[in-house]
Amino acid sequence: MTMDNKEHDIQLFKPTYAVDECLAEIRECLEIGWTGLGFKTVKFEEAWKEYTGLPHAHYLNSATAGLNMAVEILKQEKGWADGDEIITTPLTFISTNHAIPLNNLRAVFADIDNTNCLDPKSVEERITDKTRAVIFVGFGGNAGHYEEVAKICKEHGLALILDAAHMSGTRLHGEIPGKDADVVVYSYQAVKNLPTADSGMICFKEEKYDAIARKIGWLGINKDTYSRTVNAGNYKWKYDVEYVGNKLHGNSIMASIGLVQLKYLDRDNAYRKEMCKWYRERFSKYPELIEMIHIPEECDSSCHLFQIIVAHRDEMLLALNAAGIYPGVHYTDNTQYRMYAYAQGTCPRAAYVSDHVISLPLHMRLTRDDIEYICDQVIKIAKEQADAK
Ligand SMILES: *Cc1c(COP(=O)(O)O)cnc(C)c1O
C-alpha cells in the first residue's frame, strides 16, 4: 500500500467484527474441545436456513468449494456429458467460471446488462441443445434480472445455479431470492458482507442433493452408516465410502464468527445502503461524467459493492490513490484471461465495463464525511479529465 496522502487512507474494504462476541463463541469451542465439523457448523446451518428461508444449507470452507460441488453434483445426478455447456457471465470472480471446466464442461459466456448481471436476452441467444445450466451472479448484491433468467431456465429445462457470494442479505420483492434455483452458493470470505475469514454455504433445493453434498464434502464418507454405528455404541470407526470426494466442509471456529456476524447482517447492510444513497445523491448530478449501476426497484441489494463507470478509469484510479483513496476493480472480463480467451469479443458490454468500472470504498468504518470526500474527489477528477480531452 502506498501512502501518498497523509490526511486520508480510505481502503475499499475493511471488515468489521463484533470481536468480543466472536471470541466468546470461539472460546466455547476451545473449552469443550470441538473445533471441527459439527457443533457450531450445525448451529450456523440452522441459523442460515431460518434467516434465508431456504430448505437446506451445508456449511463449507469456501464458496469456491460450493460452486465446484454444485456443478459436480448436478452433472453427476442429472447425467450431463463431458463437453456439455453452462451459460455464465464474464464479469465475475474467476471461481464462478472455473467450476465449469473443472467438471469437464464448457463455459459459454453471455453478456451483462446495465445491472452488471447477466442480460436475459443474451442468455437466451446462447442456448444450444448442449446447454444444461445457467450460473447467475448477483453482482455486488444486485439481483439484476434474475427472475427473467430463472424463467428462461424453467422454459428450457435448464438447471439454475445462483452464485450469491455478494448477496448475503439481498431481498427481492421483500424475500431472500433463490428458492427457485437448483442451488444457491454464499461466500463468507474475509471481505464479503458476512465476513468470517474463509467459508461458504451451499443450499440445494432438493434434499437428496444436500445429502450428497455432505458426503462429497467429506471425502465421500457415508456418515449415515457412521452415525448408525455411533448410535449403536460400537464400531465407531466403521463407515462406507460412497463417492470419490474432497475435504470441503467448514469448521466450528469459522462458524462461530459466522453465527455472530449473522446477527448484525441486516443492520450492517442497512448502513451500506445509506452510504450508497449518499454516493448516488452526489453522482446523479453528473450523469454525463459518472454512470451508476442500475438496481431494479424490486431489489433491496445487500450493497456489497458501490460501482461507477467512468471514461478514463485507470487515470482516475491513480488520481484517487494520490488523494488517499484506494478503490478496487470488480472484475476483469474473464474472457480476457488465457483460459477463457476462446470467448473474447463475444460480450462487448462486459468488456467495456471491465475497462471502465471502479468499486468505491464501502465498509462499516466509513463516515458520511469520508463518503463526501470521496465524492468530491471523483467529481473533481472526472471534470478535469473531461476538460482535458
Ligand atoms: C468471492 C467470490 C467467490 C468465491 O468465494 P470464496 O468464499 O472466496 O471461495 C465466488 N463468486 C463471487 C462472485 C465472489 O465474489
Side-chain angles (χ1 to χ4, degrees):
M1 185 184 72
T2 48
M3 290 285 292
D4 303 324
N5 188 289
K6 294 252 175 330
E7 259 175 89
H8 294 279
D9 174 23
I10 305 180
Q11 299 294 321
L12 170 66
F13 294 135
K14 206 164 204 175
T16 301
Y17 299 92
V19 175
D20 289 337
E21 286 180 69
C22 288
L23 290 176
E25 290 278 336
I26 292 170
R27 169 174 280 276
E28 211 187 322
C29 297
L30 300 180
E31 281 179 352
I32 71 160
W34 195 293
T35 56
L37 172 68
F39 187 39
K40 298 286 183 189
T41 68
V42 177
K43 284 192 178 163
F44 190 37
E45 288 171 355
E46 291 307 314
W48 192 250
K49 283 192 284 182
E50 189 177 330
Y51 176 79
T52 59
L54 294 168
H56 308 288
H58 181 43
Y59 188 53
L60 298 174
N61 60 32
S62 69
T64 301
L67 289 160
N68 295 345
M69 191 152 65
V71 176
E72 178 183 353
I73 291 173
L74 291 174
K75 183 188 182 202
Q76 169 187 300
E77 295 304 306
K78 291 176 182 282
W80 301 343
D82 285 356
D84 281 353
E85 297 168 357
I86 295 186
I87 296 174
T88 183
T89 173
L91 199 76
T92 185
F93 184 57
I94 197 67
S95 59
T96 311
N97 289 324
H98 277 358
I100 302 168
L102 268 173
N103 288 286
N104 293 323
L105 299 168
R106 184 167 176 84
V108 172
F109 293 91
D111 210 352
I112 56 168
D113 59 22
N114 63 354
T115 66
N116 274 359
C117 301
L118 278 176
D119 177 353
K121 269 210 317 289
S122 181
V123 169
E124 203 150 30
E125 283 165 14
R126 307 287 154 103
I127 295 173
T128 71
D129 55 8
K130 281 187 159 187
T131 308
R132 301 290 172 254
V134 175
I135 303 183
F136 188 96
V137 176
F139 202 99
N142 191 357
H145 298 109
Y146 168 77
E147 288 173 297
E148 283 165 66
V149 171
K151 193 160 151 266
I152 291 167
C153 288
K154 208 167 167 199
E155 280 165 10
H156 293 264
L158 306 176
L160 176 56
I161 298 166
L162 179 57
D163 178 345
H166 299 176
M167 291 181 105
S168 287
T170 290
R171 308 298 204 281
L172 186 58
H173 302 292
E175 268 201 55
I176 301 286
K179 276 139 197 146
D180 47 356
D182 292 82
V183 56
V184 187
V185 178
Y186 293 93
S187 174
Y188 314 121
Q189 186 267 345
V191 299
K192 301 287 159 76
N193 279 35
L194 196 163
T196 58
D198 256 322
S199 58
M201 197 75 86
I202 188 165
C203 304
F204 274 106
K205 183 164 65 180
E206 290 198 40
E207 182 168 11
K208 63 178 181 188
Y209 295 165
D210 177 77
I212 296 169
R214 286 166 196 278
K215 293 170 194 167
I216 283 185
W218 191 33
L219 301 150
I221 290 171
N222 176 334
K223 274 187 290 178
D224 294 340
T225 311
Y226 173 74
S227 36
R228 252 182 279 135
T229 47
V230 168
N231 290 342
N234 263 320
Y235 303 113
K236 289 186 185 192
W237 45 270
K238 253 194 158 178
Y239 51 71
D240 196 5
V241 178
E242 282 184 45
Y243 299 92
V244 177
N246 213 320
K247 190 170 150 94
L248 308 174
H249 64 76
N251 68 62
S252 287
I253 301 295
M254 288 301 110
S256 294
I257 301 176
L259 276 165
V260 173
Q261 294 297 108
L262 174 56
K263 289 202 285 186
Y264 301 109
L265 178 60
D266 284 341
R267 181 201 68 185
D268 290 357
N269 284 354
Y271 185 53
R272 289 172 172 277
K273 197 172 167 181
E274 187 76 7
M275 288 186 280
C276 289
K277 206 181 89 200
W278 297 334
Y279 274 132
R280 280 184 183 272
E281 279 168 6
R282 292 286 307 276
F283 295 147
S284 61
K285 300 193 176 83
Y286 304 93
E288 70 292 350
L289 294 177
I290 299 158
E291 182 183 341
M292 289 183 283
I293 311 305
H294 176 66
I295 299 178
E297 210 161 296
E298 64 275 13
C299 175
D300 184 9
S301 172
S302 64
C303 299
H304 176 58
L305 298 174
F306 182 81
Q307 298 186 297
I308 55 172
I309 295 169
V310 295
H312 310 288
R313 192 265 313 274
D314 293 349
E315 294 92 326
M316 181 173 281
L317 285 176
L318 290 176
L320 287 171
N321 290 351
I325 301 164
Y326 302 94
V329 171
H330 299 89
Y331 295 90
T332 296
D333 164 8
N334 287 187
T335 70
Q336 289 177 25
Y337 297 132
R338 197 173 313 177
M339 289 308 308
Y340 300 101
Y342 61 83
Q344 231 172 61
T346 60
C347 301
R349 173 71 190 174
Y352 176 80
V353 170
S354 171
D355 288 342
H356 295 87
V357 78
I358 297 180
S359 302
L360 291 176
L362 192 63
H363 59 76
M364 300 309 295
R365 303 179 196 212
L366 295 175
T367 63
R368 175 138 201 181
D369 284 349
D370 292 327
I371 304 287
E372 297 296 341
Y373 173 71
I374 297 164
C375 291
D376 290 344
Q377 294 301 315
V378 168
I379 292 163
K380 184 173 87 107
I381 296 161
K383 280 181 175 166
E384 284 166 4
Q385 288 178 338
D387 290 345
K389 300 288 155 169

